[in-house]
């Protein structure tokens, strides 16, 4: 991992940490957000750490497992990191579904936090 640019190292570490927390105990995700953070979840918008954690904690499943297919990370001109994740998830006994998720990470008081996040299931109505 040491031969990758620093933004890829930080982005990859964040993604791994995020999905470990999400799959184990979504209520612990508050540590990665700040009060100014924004989440768009399947078109619904939430702002602030409390609103985001409430949304994620109230999702209607008991257990979930994410499998990451690909992830891409870019530095932004204002020293943030843009991360895009593509993967699959399995919630409870439901079928496996594809998803895309994008994070904007910012170094805030010495820690990398998520300021913006967008999530969509890969569902197609054809």
């Amino acid at each position: 991992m040491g031969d990758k640019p620093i933004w890829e190292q930080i982005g990859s570490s964040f993604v791994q940490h995020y999905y470990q927390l999400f799959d184990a105990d979504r209520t612990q995700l508050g540590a990665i957000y700040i009060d100014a953070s924004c989440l768009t979840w399947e078109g619904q918008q939430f702002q602030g750490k409390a609103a985001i954690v409430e949304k994620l904690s109230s999702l209607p499943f008991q257990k979930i497992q994410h499998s990451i297919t690909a992830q891409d990370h870019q530095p932004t001109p204002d020293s943030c990191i843009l991360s895009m994740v593509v993967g699959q998830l399995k919630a409870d006994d439901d079928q496996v579904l594809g998803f895309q998720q994008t994070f904007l990470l910012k170094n805030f008081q010495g820690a990398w936090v998520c300021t913006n996040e967008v999530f969509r299931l890969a569902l197609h109505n054809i």
Side-chain angles (χ1 to χ4, degrees):
M1 192 168 180
D3 58 341
K4 292 183 181 179
I6 188 67
W7 65 83
E8 286 190 26
Q9 294 176 43
I10 293 166
S12 294
S13 293
F14 176 88
V15 165
Q16 180 181 7
H17 180 66
Y18 176 89
Y19 291 110
Q20 284 175 342
L21 282 177
F22 198 109
D23 292 359
D25 183 0
R26 297 185 305 270
T27 64
Q28 300 301 309
L29 286 169
I32 66 166
Y33 299 104
I34 57 175
D35 289 335
S37 295
C38 294
L39 165 68
T40 302
W41 187 273
E42 289 291 320
Q44 292 182 299
Q45 295 194 3
F46 304 88
Q47 185 166 10
K49 179 191 300 198
I52 292 169
V53 173
E54 181 178 336
K55 171 59 180 175
L56 298 178
S57 298
S58 68
L59 292 169
F61 48 80
Q62 297 301 310
K63 62 181 178 172
I64 188 164
Q65 183 175 3
H66 290 84
S67 176
I68 305 306
T69 304
Q71 54 184 300
D72 297 296
H73 311 281
Q74 296 178 347
T76 67
D78 57 349
S79 300
C80 294
I81 298 171
L82 181 66
S83 296
M84 181 180 172
V85 178
V86 177
Q88 295 181 318
L89 60 83
K90 180 162 178 55
D92 293 332
D93 294 323
D94 294 345
Q95 67 182 8
V96 173
L97 298 171
F99 75 94
Q100 298 95 28
Q101 198 158 8
T102 303
F103 303 96
L104 183 63
L105 309 177
K106 180 175 181 66
N107 193 310
F108 181 76
Q109 297 178 348
W112 287 93
V113 297
C114 178
T115 60
N116 298 80
E117 177 180 352
V118 179
F119 173 89
R120 283 279 182 180
L121 289 171
L123 303 175
H124 306 281
N125 297 322
I126 299 174

